[in-house]
Amino acid sequence: MAINVRQELDICRLEESDRAPMDSWWQSIKAVTTPRDAYITKSETPVPSNSYANIHDTTVIEASEGLSNMMTAQLTPAGEDWVRYEPPFEFKDDDEVREWYLVCSTIAMQLVNQSNFQMANQQVNLERATVGTGMMMCYETSNPHQPFYFKHAPVGTYTFQEDLQGRADTLRRHFFASAHQLKKEFPKGNFGPKVTNAFNDHKKRHTEKFKVWHVVMPREDRDPQKVDNVNMPYAEFYIADQDEMVIEETGVHEFNTMVSRFQHGADGIIWGVSPARKAMPAVAQVNYLQESLDLLLDIKINPRILAEAGMVGEVDMRPGQMTLTRAGALASSGAGGVREWATGGDYPMGKDRIRDKQDQIRKLFFNAIWQPFADQQKEMTAEEFRGIRDQSEMLFVGVNARYEADMNPMLSKRIFGICLRKGLFPQPPEQLLKESNGFYDIPDPLSTFQTNLARVMKRKAVEHKDQFFLRLQQYAAADPTVMDEIDLSSHVRELARTYGFTSPQLRPEEEVIAIAQSRLEAQQQEAQQQQALQAADTAAKFDPRVQQEMIENAQTM
């Protein structure tokens, strides 16, 4: 079905208008947390303005960037395989399928780490820490060595809609581009007269900017028997705002956008709540106090002067200079001549109050997660260090869970689907292939984050099992039959997977069964040999006539 341009533009403009109250709030937050890109309700000028002129305390800036860096290091550490693909529940006991998904996750993580993911994700985490909502898109490319790239769009440029599970499934965003950029990005695009005229004018080709709307939404009128652009599960198109024309219409197999909220707000509000939003009262107070103390220091260094009327000359504050007063003024009793005036103020009290406000801000930004390490004044054992780290990371479980839930569809559907279509994964096991609408399909994996917190939880589980087996060993000393209740080989296999062992370090179950069978056959053969030796030894003790009779009987049998 053809796109109703006027209707889509009306929806885009309406959602943009409904977002206006949030734009004002985000502008105030960015003005104190990330002034360099605080251009939501304020127009960006060609010459950078002095955005930091009114910043007198940088605690919230440091806390925002610290939390952002910590979230990136905790959740998606660069260069590491921070996600592992697991098979769907119906294949959880199939070692061949499990191994295939593990190999796929290794390949996918290598490609993600080679892409621009970290740069885009850093901006996502910074906006989650400051304005509460971060967004990132994953585009498919034609390059098999770099099959995807990521793009972050700042708040104030997009709106989105959710499904009943609270996950974004519709995106509308705008961006500005010159005629030259649009022609390069959409070589086969449809352009109206305004863009075309600007492109033909060499003075406007690179300077005049045009507003373009980018829409990604579920396609309702698709034919599942077809896989062309206009029948993919999601529609994607670009509309030129001034010319009111569709530049290009295409489609995507999976929703290509991830929207993550630091914390969810009230029911019906899709935008997230950030630590910076909670800290704004303290930020305003500490900024005012710092400015006041700066003024107090200035007054202390360059004090106000109270001088009598009728002085001979002007008060000269320069080093080594003279100020002339009427005769006897300085010697007179009282406040005669020239003196400092109104220079009082309690600087230590102001510093204490500032420190209190700064501590409030840092607490809201989860400063307690890394602060214990900085506060240690003594050397720690490895066990003490791990205990403090584990306790600190447990405070971050809620933030981890929200990010993982928001990121899972992009990892298990979008990235997995792109790699699968590009033929970057090995041949899948036959039992995974399922026919759907005349095509073979492979079920999406379950994505498990291998974060520091996940490792903490696994360590806790391993420690609990170790404690259990120590106690079981005591019971087994009294009654060895209790060991029959436990499948030790299954426990060791699962423990090896917990520590990251995969093929070829971890043998397939078929090979383990074959080894056990060979061991059993060898034991049976050894037992038969022992029986034969014992029988021969016993026979040697009989009378020779009896031995001859036994041999004859054996031959006739």
Side-chain angles (χ1 to χ4, degrees), residues 245-262:
M245 288 185 61
V246 175
I247 299 175
E248 181 180 86
E249 179 185 4
T250 181
V252 287
H253 293 274
E254 307 89 10
F255 189 59
N256 60 2
T257 302
M258 185 274 291
V259 179
S260 180
R261 278 63 61 92
F262 188 86

Side-chain angles (χ1 to χ4, degrees), residues 102 117 321 332:
L102 287 177
F117 172 83
Q321 301 302 310
S332 62

Side-chain angles (χ1 to χ4, degrees), residues 137-157:
M137 292 168 285
C138 178
Y139 290 93
E140 185 172 357
T141 72
S142 58
N143 185 351
H145 303 291
Q146 294 180 335
F148 41 73
Y149 73 94
F150 300 87
K151 183 177 179 60
H152 163 259
V155 293
T157 65

Side-chain angles (χ1 to χ4, degrees), residues 336-356:
V338 180
R339 64 182 177 85
E340 293 182 7
W341 174 72
T343 59
D346 196 331
Y347 188 82
M349 182 179 293
K351 292 294 291 183
D352 288 342
R353 186 60 174 165
I354 286 174
R355 194 176 297 111
D356 291 342

Side-chain angles (χ1 to χ4, degrees), residues 21-82:
M22 296 302 301
D23 289 349
S24 299
W25 185 234
W26 294 332
Q27 176 66 37
S28 63
I29 294 177
K30 279 183 170 280
V32 296
T33 57
T34 54
R36 65 182 181 274
D37 63 349
Y39 296 103
I40 300 176
T41 60
K42 183 179 71 172
S43 299
E44 186 174 3
T45 60
V47 179
S49 60
N50 190 3
S51 304
Y52 292 84
N54 296 321
I55 301 295
H56 302 283
D57 186 271
T58 59
T59 302
V60 70
I61 297 177
E62 297 166 8
S64 299
E65 294 181 352
L67 178 59
S68 171
N69 293 334
M70 189 270 293
M71 287 191 293
T72 301
Q74 284 274 335
L75 299 168
T76 58
E80 296 186 17
D81 293 351
W82 42 268

Side-chain angles (χ1 to χ4, degrees), residues 32 57 60 279-291 357 361:
V32 296
D57 186 271
V60 70
M280 285 300 285
V283 171
Q285 290 172 337
V286 75
N287 201 56
Y288 171 75
L289 288 171
Q290 288 282 28
E291 184 180 14
K357 293 299 177 182
I361 295 171

